[in-house]
Amino acid sequence: LQREREEQEQASKAAEKKVVLEVPIDVNGETMRLGLREGDDSSSASDFFCRSLNLGDQDYAICVSSVQPLIDAKIRDFMAQQQQQQQQAQSGPPLFEIPIQIGDRLLPMAFTLGENPADTTIRFCDAQWGFISTVLQSYEEGGAITKDLCANTLFSTVSKMLDEMLASEEGIALTDREKLFSIEVELTPEQEGIASRQLSLNVFPGQTAEAAVSAFLNQNGIGDEAKGALMDMVANRLASI
């Protein structure tokens, strides 16, 4: 009776807290949703969930050992997504969002104006790593499953999508509206008979000279030979504002 009263009190207190995320758990072919509330940890949440199933001691132990890692992974994903949102709020307005197919799910990847697509891809892999690592494990045989593998796999796709978006009418209009200033750059190829390229190096609020130039070089497939001179140009403009 004492244990039942304690469990009832625990359930009553838990019900008063706000559910911040849900964890889908398969129980004998049926999907049940474990609600994680403010202040919950994986140990107490898995204990509460497994006890609610009225299992014997052996099945209870198996339940906890299976459920707790699922909760830990969900909490890690949630915290990474919160960090990603904070970073996006600090770095500037999102340019657009695209759905990335990972396994059987579409996961949103948000781009920020002036951001290096390599950084975007790494941030996405960090935020979604709990799910992505499971999917990669089912495809990759013999190799190490790391976040670098995730970023390297997605980078070319992300860069292509970003280039297409920036070249669209929507992308051009948004860039013109949000940029702090731009510097026109003429690239003259060493090989004769090839026309020079006229490009705009856009600088957005909050960017450093190095961040703006790195993004420009990466987006246009340009090596680092001109990086120092371009950084000086951007730094001088920033200093005059």
Side-chain angles (χ1 to χ4, degrees):
L1 291 177
Q2 177 66 25
R3 178 177 173 178
E4 290 181 1
R5 283 196 296 269
E6 290 177 353
E7 290 179 351
Q8 289 174 355
E9 290 177 1
Q10 181 181 4
S12 177
K13 291 179 180 179
E16 296 175 359
K17 297 180 180 179
K18 178 182 177 182
V19 174
V20 291
L21 68 157
E22 292 185 337
V23 183
I25 299 174
D26 182 76
V27 179
N28 297 325
E30 179 183 355
T31 299
M32 301 182 67
R33 296 196 172 276
L34 186 161
L36 285 176
R37 300 176 183 274
E38 296 174 339
D40 282 353
D41 57 41
S42 62
S43 177
S44 61
S46 58
D47 173 73
F48 181 77
F49 176 80
C50 293
R51 289 191 185 284
S52 72
L53 301 178
N54 297 317
L55 303 171
D57 290 344
Q58 184 174 357
D59 288 337
Y60 163 80
I62 295 173
C63 175
V64 170
S65 65
S66 300
V67 170
Q68 188 167 353
L70 297 177
I71 298 174
D72 283 331
K74 193 71 174 181
I75 291 174
R76 284 196 300 270
D77 285 351
F78 177 76
M79 297 302 293
Q81 289 170 3
Q82 293 292 308
Q83 183 179 11
Q84 180 183 19
Q85 292 173 1
Q86 291 175 358
Q87 290 174 343
Q88 289 172 357
Q90 293 170 357
S91 59
L95 176 59
F96 67 108
E97 250 185 19
I98 59 170
I100 300 292
Q101 181 83 41
I102 304 291
D104 59 354
R105 288 170 58 183
L106 288 174
L107 305 176
M109 180 186 289
F111 290 93
T112 300
L113 281 170
E115 184 176 43
N116 188 322
D119 295 334
T120 305
T121 308
I122 291 171
R123 190 179 66 237
F124 173 79
C125 290
D126 285 344
Q128 305 290 349
W129 183 241
F131 177 71
I132 292 174
S133 61
T134 303
V135 175
L136 288 177
Q137 189 73 51
S138 66
Y139 286 98
E140 186 76 6
E141 295 183 0
I145 305 301
T146 66
K147 292 181 184 178
D148 288 341
L149 175 63
C150 169
N152 293 337
T153 301
L154 291 177
F155 176 70
S156 60
T157 299
V158 170
S159 296
K160 181 180 179 181
M161 290 181 170
L162 180 58
D163 288 343
E164 291 175 351
M165 182 58 194
L166 289 172
S168 69
E169 291 184 5
E170 178 186 354
I172 293 171
L174 186 56
T175 297
D176 287 341
R177 185 172 70 247
E178 300 292 343
K179 68 184 179 184
L180 187 61
F181 61 85
S182 63
I183 296 175
E184 298 304 311
V185 178
E186 181 178 2
L187 296 180
T188 304
E190 295 180 359
Q191 185 176 350
E192 295 183 2
I194 300 178
S196 61
R197 299 168 64 191
Q198 297 286 342
L199 302 172
S200 294
L201 194 170
N202 297 308
V203 181
F204 297 92
Q207 274 191 319
T208 62
E210 182 175 8
V213 172
S214 295
F216 169 77
L217 296 176
N218 186 77
Q219 290 166 9
N220 291 286
I222 305 170
D224 288 340
E225 297 83 3
K227 186 173 183 178
L230 291 174
M231 282 182 58
D232 288 341
M233 293 170 63
V234 174
N236 289 336
R237 283 288 299 274
L238 287 172
S240 67
I241 296 177

mmCIF file of all heavy atoms in Angstrom, residues 76-77 80 83 118 120-133 136 144-155:
data_model
loop_
_atom_site.group_PDB
_atom_site.id
_atom_site.type_symbol
_atom_site.label_atom_id
_atom_site.label_comp_id
_atom_site.label_asym_id
_atom_site.label_seq_id
_atom_site.Cartn_x
_atom_site.Cartn_y
_atom_site.Cartn_z
ATOM 1 N N ARG A 76 19.180 14.148 -25.951
ATOM 2 C CA ARG A 76 20.342 14.720 -26.656
ATOM 3 C C ARG A 76 19.896 15.457 -27.918
ATOM 4 O O ARG A 76 20.378 16.560 -28.209
ATOM 5 C CB ARG A 76 21.332 13.613 -27.017
ATOM 6 C CG ARG A 76 22.159 13.097 -25.852
ATOM 7 C CD ARG A 76 23.361 12.301 -26.354
ATOM 8 N NE ARG A 76 22.950 11.156 -27.152
ATOM 9 C CZ ARG A 76 22.702 9.946 -26.642
ATOM 10 N NH1 ARG A 76 22.818 9.737 -25.342
ATOM 11 N NH2 ARG A 76 22.357 8.952 -27.445
ATOM 12 N N ASP A 77 18.985 14.860 -28.673
ATOM 13 C CA ASP A 77 18.485 15.507 -29.892
ATOM 14 C C ASP A 77 17.779 16.813 -29.551
ATOM 15 O O ASP A 77 17.947 17.829 -30.232
ATOM 16 C CB ASP A 77 17.517 14.580 -30.633
ATOM 17 C CG ASP A 77 18.238 13.458 -31.350
ATOM 18 O OD1 ASP A 77 19.481 13.504 -31.422
ATOM 19 O OD2 ASP A 77 17.567 12.526 -31.825
ATOM 20 N N ALA A 80 20.311 19.472 -28.575
ATOM 21 C CA ALA A 80 21.057 19.930 -29.755
ATOM 22 C C ALA A 80 20.200 20.857 -30.608
ATOM 23 O O ALA A 80 20.689 21.851 -31.158
ATOM 24 C CB ALA A 80 21.523 18.729 -30.573
ATOM 25 N N GLN A 83 20.058 24.225 -28.981
ATOM 26 C CA GLN A 83 21.309 24.944 -29.228
ATOM 27 C C GLN A 83 21.354 25.477 -30.652
ATOM 28 O O GLN A 83 21.806 26.595 -30.900
ATOM 29 C CB GLN A 83 22.496 24.024 -28.971
ATOM 30 C CG GLN A 83 23.853 24.714 -29.133
ATOM 31 C CD GLN A 83 25.007 23.767 -28.847
ATOM 32 O OE1 GLN A 83 24.819 22.555 -28.725
ATOM 33 N NE2 GLN A 83 26.205 24.303 -28.740
ATOM 34 N N ALA A 118 29.335 24.517 -45.155
ATOM 35 C CA ALA A 118 29.989 23.474 -44.364
ATOM 36 C C ALA A 118 29.559 23.579 -42.904
ATOM 37 O O ALA A 118 29.291 22.569 -42.237
ATOM 38 C CB ALA A 118 31.507 23.594 -44.485
ATOM 39 N N THR A 120 26.732 24.949 -41.870
ATOM 40 C CA THR A 120 25.325 24.576 -41.838
ATOM 41 C C THR A 120 25.172 23.066 -41.746
ATOM 42 O O THR A 120 24.367 22.549 -40.955
ATOM 43 C CB THR A 120 24.609 25.072 -43.112
ATOM 44 O OG1 THR A 120 24.815 26.466 -43.255
ATOM 45 C CG2 THR A 120 23.120 24.792 -43.048
ATOM 46 N N THR A 121 25.950 22.354 -42.556
ATOM 47 C CA THR A 121 25.857 20.897 -42.589
ATOM 48 C C THR A 121 26.309 20.284 -41.265
ATOM 49 O O THR A 121 25.673 19.364 -40.747
ATOM 50 C CB THR A 121 26.722 20.340 -43.742
ATOM 51 O OG1 THR A 121 26.372 21.013 -44.953
ATOM 52 C CG2 THR A 121 26.487 18.861 -43.919
ATOM 53 N N ILE A 122 27.388 20.800 -40.713
ATOM 54 C CA ILE A 122 27.890 20.288 -39.435
ATOM 55 C C ILE A 122 26.866 20.522 -38.326
ATOM 56 O O ILE A 122 26.610 19.647 -37.497
ATOM 57 C CB ILE A 122 29.230 20.953 -39.079
ATOM 58 C CG1 ILE A 122 30.321 20.473 -40.046
ATOM 59 C CG2 ILE A 122 29.633 20.644 -37.638
ATOM 60 C CD1 ILE A 122 31.626 21.224 -39.938
ATOM 61 N N ARG A 123 26.254 21.710 -38.309
ATOM 62 C CA ARG A 123 25.252 22.014 -37.290
ATOM 63 C C ARG A 123 24.047 21.086 -37.406
ATOM 64 O O ARG A 123 23.500 20.613 -36.406
ATOM 65 C CB ARG A 123 24.812 23.476 -37.408
ATOM 66 C CG ARG A 123 23.956 23.937 -36.226
ATOM 67 C CD ARG A 123 23.545 25.393 -36.355
ATOM 68 N NE ARG A 123 22.659 25.586 -37.490
ATOM 69 C CZ ARG A 123 22.900 26.415 -38.490
ATOM 70 N NH1 ARG A 123 24.016 27.120 -38.515
ATOM 71 N NH2 ARG A 123 22.044 26.545 -39.492
ATOM 72 N N PHE A 124 23.627 20.817 -38.634
ATOM 73 C CA PHE A 124 22.509 19.917 -38.875
ATOM 74 C C PHE A 124 22.835 18.510 -38.364
ATOM 75 O O PHE A 124 22.018 17.873 -37.687
ATOM 76 C CB PHE A 124 22.197 19.881 -40.375
ATOM 77 C CG PHE A 124 21.168 18.853 -40.766
ATOM 78 C CD1 PHE A 124 19.816 19.102 -40.579
ATOM 79 C CD2 PHE A 124 21.558 17.661 -41.339
ATOM 80 C CE1 PHE A 124 18.870 18.152 -40.945
ATOM 81 C CE2 PHE A 124 20.617 16.712 -41.711
ATOM 82 C CZ PHE A 124 19.274 16.961 -41.516
ATOM 83 N N CYS A 125 24.034 18.012 -38.685
ATOM 84 C CA CYS A 125 24.430 16.679 -38.233
ATOM 85 C C CYS A 125 24.506 16.609 -36.708
ATOM 86 O O CYS A 125 24.128 15.594 -36.104
ATOM 87 C CB CYS A 125 25.771 16.281 -38.857
ATOM 88 S SG CYS A 125 25.673 15.966 -40.646
ATOM 89 N N ASP A 126 24.986 17.674 -36.073
ATOM 90 C CA ASP A 126 25.039 17.713 -34.610
ATOM 91 C C ASP A 126 23.633 17.633 -34.010
ATOM 92 O O ASP A 126 23.391 16.879 -33.062
ATOM 93 C CB ASP A 126 25.715 19.006 -34.135
ATOM 94 C CG ASP A 126 27.228 18.977 -34.315
ATOM 95 O OD1 ASP A 126 27.775 17.878 -34.508
ATOM 96 O OD2 ASP A 126 27.847 20.056 -34.274
ATOM 97 N N ALA A 127 22.706 18.414 -34.575
ATOM 98 C CA ALA A 127 21.354 18.494 -34.018
ATOM 99 C C ALA A 127 20.579 17.204 -34.204
ATOM 100 O O ALA A 127 19.762 16.833 -33.355
ATOM 101 C CB ALA A 127 20.603 19.661 -34.654
ATOM 102 N N GLN A 128 20.816 16.512 -35.303
ATOM 103 C CA GLN A 128 20.027 15.323 -35.636
ATOM 104 C C GLN A 128 20.814 14.026 -35.462
ATOM 105 O O GLN A 128 20.380 12.981 -35.939
ATOM 106 C CB GLN A 128 19.537 15.423 -37.091
ATOM 107 C CG GLN A 128 18.768 16.681 -37.427
ATOM 108 C CD GLN A 128 17.400 16.722 -36.763
ATOM 109 O OE1 GLN A 128 16.939 15.729 -36.208
ATOM 110 N NE2 GLN A 128 16.733 17.861 -36.833
ATOM 111 N N TRP A 129 21.949 14.076 -34.768
ATOM 112 C CA TRP A 129 22.855 12.947 -34.754
ATOM 113 C C TRP A 129 22.249 11.682 -34.151
ATOM 114 O O TRP A 129 22.522 10.556 -34.593
ATOM 115 C CB TRP A 129 24.147 13.294 -34.015
ATOM 116 C CG TRP A 129 25.151 12.174 -34.046
ATOM 117 C CD1 TRP A 129 25.672 11.500 -32.992
ATOM 118 C CD2 TRP A 129 25.738 11.597 -35.217
ATOM 119 N NE1 TRP A 129 26.548 10.540 -33.418
ATOM 120 C CE2 TRP A 129 26.604 10.575 -34.789
ATOM 121 C CE3 TRP A 129 25.600 11.835 -36.580
ATOM 122 C CZ2 TRP A 129 27.333 9.796 -35.671
ATOM 123 C CZ3 TRP A 129 26.329 11.061 -37.473
ATOM 124 C CH2 TRP A 129 27.181 10.059 -37.014
ATOM 125 N N GLY A 130 21.390 11.814 -33.146
ATOM 126 C CA GLY A 130 20.793 10.638 -32.529
ATOM 127 C C GLY A 130 20.082 9.764 -33.540
ATOM 128 O O GLY A 130 20.227 8.533 -33.552
ATOM 129 N N PHE A 131 19.317 10.392 -34.440
ATOM 130 C CA PHE A 131 18.585 9.638 -35.463
ATOM 131 C C PHE A 131 19.490 9.269 -36.636
ATOM 132 O O PHE A 131 19.464 8.138 -37.132
ATOM 133 C CB PHE A 131 17.396 10.460 -35.963
ATOM 134 C CG PHE A 131 16.620 9.794 -37.071
ATOM 135 C CD1 PHE A 131 15.834 8.686 -36.819
ATOM 136 C CD2 PHE A 131 16.698 10.275 -38.364
ATOM 137 C CE1 PHE A 131 15.138 8.065 -37.833
ATOM 138 C CE2 PHE A 131 16.010 9.663 -39.389
ATOM 139 C CZ PHE A 131 15.223 8.551 -39.127
ATOM 140 N N ILE A 132 20.311 10.218 -37.089
ATOM 141 C CA ILE A 132 21.148 9.979 -38.259
ATOM 142 C C ILE A 132 22.128 8.833 -38.025
ATOM 143 O O ILE A 132 22.354 8.004 -38.913
ATOM 144 C CB ILE A 132 21.924 11.260 -38.640
ATOM 145 C CG1 ILE A 132 20.950 12.334 -39.155
ATOM 146 C CG2 ILE A 132 22.977 10.985 -39.703
ATOM 147 C CD1 ILE A 132 21.593 13.682 -39.411
ATOM 148 N N SER A 133 22.714 8.750 -36.841
ATOM 149 C CA SER A 133 23.690 7.699 -36.565
ATOM 150 C C SER A 133 23.064 6.314 -36.684
ATOM 151 O O SER A 133 23.704 5.369 -37.149
ATOM 152 C CB SER A 133 24.303 7.888 -35.172
ATOM 153 O OG SER A 133 23.298 7.820 -34.167
ATOM 154 N N LEU A 136 22.691 5.671 -40.507
ATOM 155 C CA LEU A 136 23.992 5.392 -41.117
ATOM 156 C C LEU A 136 24.499 4.005 -40.740
ATOM 157 O O LEU A 136 25.120 3.313 -41.555
ATOM 158 C CB LEU A 136 25.014 6.447 -40.697
ATOM 159 C CG LEU A 136 24.853 7.849 -41.297
ATOM 160 C CD1 LEU A 136 25.911 8.786 -40.724
ATOM 161 C CD2 LEU A 136 24.963 7.813 -42.816
ATOM 162 N N ALA A 144 33.752 3.556 -39.710
ATOM 163 C CA ALA A 144 33.383 4.225 -38.464
ATOM 164 C C ALA A 144 32.196 5.152 -38.713
ATOM 165 O O ALA A 144 32.148 5.875 -39.706
ATOM 166 C CB ALA A 144 34.567 5.026 -37.931
ATOM 167 N N ILE A 145 31.236 5.112 -37.806
ATOM 168 C CA ILE A 145 30.054 5.960 -37.916
ATOM 169 C C ILE A 145 30.320 7.235 -37.110
ATOM 170 O O ILE A 145 30.276 7.223 -35.879
ATOM 171 C CB ILE A 145 28.800 5.237 -37.392
ATOM 172 C CG1 ILE A 145 28.611 3.902 -38.108
ATOM 173 C CG2 ILE A 145 27.582 6.117 -37.554
ATOM 174 C CD1 ILE A 145 28.464 4.015 -39.606
ATOM 175 N N THR A 146 30.631 8.322 -37.781
ATOM 176 C CA THR A 146 30.977 9.567 -37.112
ATOM 177 C C THR A 146 30.184 10.726 -37.702
ATOM 178 O O THR A 146 29.601 10.614 -38.787
ATOM 179 C CB THR A 146 32.478 9.885 -37.264
ATOM 180 O OG1 THR A 146 32.752 10.141 -38.653
ATOM 181 C CG2 THR A 146 33.332 8.709 -36.797
ATOM 182 N N LYS A 147 30.193 11.849 -36.991
ATOM 183 C CA LYS A 147 29.526 13.042 -37.503
ATOM 184 C C LYS A 147 30.235 13.567 -38.752
ATOM 185 O O LYS A 147 29.611 14.194 -39.605
ATOM 186 C CB LYS A 147 29.478 14.128 -36.420
ATOM 187 C CG LYS A 147 28.561 13.772 -35.262
ATOM 188 C CD LYS A 147 28.523 14.884 -34.228
ATOM 189 C CE LYS A 147 27.677 14.480 -33.029
ATOM 190 N NZ LYS A 147 27.670 15.524 -31.990
ATOM 191 N N ASP A 148 31.545 13.317 -38.866
ATOM 192 C CA ASP A 148 32.263 13.721 -40.075
ATOM 193 C C ASP A 148 31.715 12.995 -41.300
ATOM 194 O O ASP A 148 31.610 13.579 -42.386
ATOM 195 C CB ASP A 148 33.761 13.422 -39.930
ATOM 196 C CG ASP A 148 34.448 14.372 -38.962
ATOM 197 O OD1 ASP A 148 33.870 15.445 -38.690
ATOM 198 O OD2 ASP A 148 35.551 14.049 -38.492
ATOM 199 N N LEU A 149 31.373 11.727 -41.137
ATOM 200 C CA LEU A 149 30.786 10.968 -42.241
ATOM 201 C C LEU A 149 29.466 11.594 -42.664
ATOM 202 O O LEU A 149 29.184 11.741 -43.855
ATOM 203 C CB LEU A 149 30.566 9.511 -41.813
ATOM 204 C CG LEU A 149 29.836 8.608 -42.819
ATOM 205 C CD1 LEU A 149 30.652 8.476 -44.100
ATOM 206 C CD2 LEU A 149 29.577 7.231 -42.208
ATOM 207 N N CYS A 150 28.666 12.001 -41.687
ATOM 208 C CA CYS A 150 27.386 12.668 -41.969
ATOM 209 C C CYS A 150 27.620 13.950 -42.756
ATOM 210 O O CYS A 150 27.002 14.168 -43.810
ATOM 211 C CB CYS A 150 26.662 12.967 -40.658
ATOM 212 S SG CYS A 150 25.225 14.050 -40.826
ATOM 213 N N ALA A 151 28.515 14.800 -42.268
ATOM 214 C CA ALA A 151 28.760 16.092 -42.918
ATOM 215 C C ALA A 151 29.338 15.919 -44.318
ATOM 216 O O ALA A 151 28.924 16.600 -45.262
ATOM 217 C CB ALA A 151 29.704 16.933 -42.054
ATOM 218 N N ASN A 152 30.277 14.993 -44.470
ATOM 219 C CA ASN A 152 30.886 14.779 -45.778
ATOM 220 C C ASN A 152 29.881 14.234 -46.790
ATOM 221 O O ASN A 152 29.934 14.562 -47.975
ATOM 222 C CB ASN A 152 32.077 13.817 -45.652
ATOM 223 C CG ASN A 152 33.235 14.409 -44.869
ATOM 224 O OD1 ASN A 152 33.358 15.625 -44.776
ATOM 225 N ND2 ASN A 152 34.059 13.557 -44.295
ATOM 226 N N THR A 153 28.962 13.386 -46.303
ATOM 227 C CA THR A 153 27.957 12.792 -47.188
ATOM 228 C C THR A 153 26.973 13.839 -47.691
ATOM 229 O O THR A 153 26.557 13.824 -48.853
ATOM 230 C CB THR A 153 27.201 11.671 -46.450
ATOM 231 O OG1 THR A 153 28.132 10.674 -46.017
ATOM 232 C CG2 THR A 153 26.164 11.014 -47.360
ATOM 233 N N LEU A 154 26.601 14.768 -46.831
ATOM 234 C CA LEU A 154 25.560 15.738 -47.175
ATOM 235 C C LEU A 154 26.087 17.011 -47.823
ATOM 236 O O LEU A 154 25.323 17.742 -48.465
ATOM 237 C CB LEU A 154 24.777 16.131 -45.915
ATOM 238 C CG LEU A 154 23.892 15.062 -45.288
ATOM 239 C CD1 LEU A 154 23.262 15.604 -44.014
ATOM 240 C CD2 LEU A 154 22.808 14.603 -46.254
ATOM 241 N N PHE A 155 27.382 17.295 -47.678
ATOM 242 C CA PHE A 155 27.890 18.612 -48.033
ATOM 243 C C PHE A 155 27.639 18.991 -49.488
ATOM 244 O O PHE A 155 27.202 20.102 -49.788
ATOM 245 C CB PHE A 155 29.390 18.708 -47.724
ATOM 246 C CG PHE A 155 29.998 20.012 -48.150
ATOM 247 C CD1 PHE A 155 29.680 21.182 -47.479
ATOM 248 C CD2 PHE A 155 30.868 20.078 -49.221
ATOM 249 C CE1 PHE A 155 30.215 22.403 -47.866
ATOM 250 C CE2 PHE A 155 31.412 21.285 -49.615
ATOM 251 C CZ PHE A 155 31.081 22.452 -48.939
#
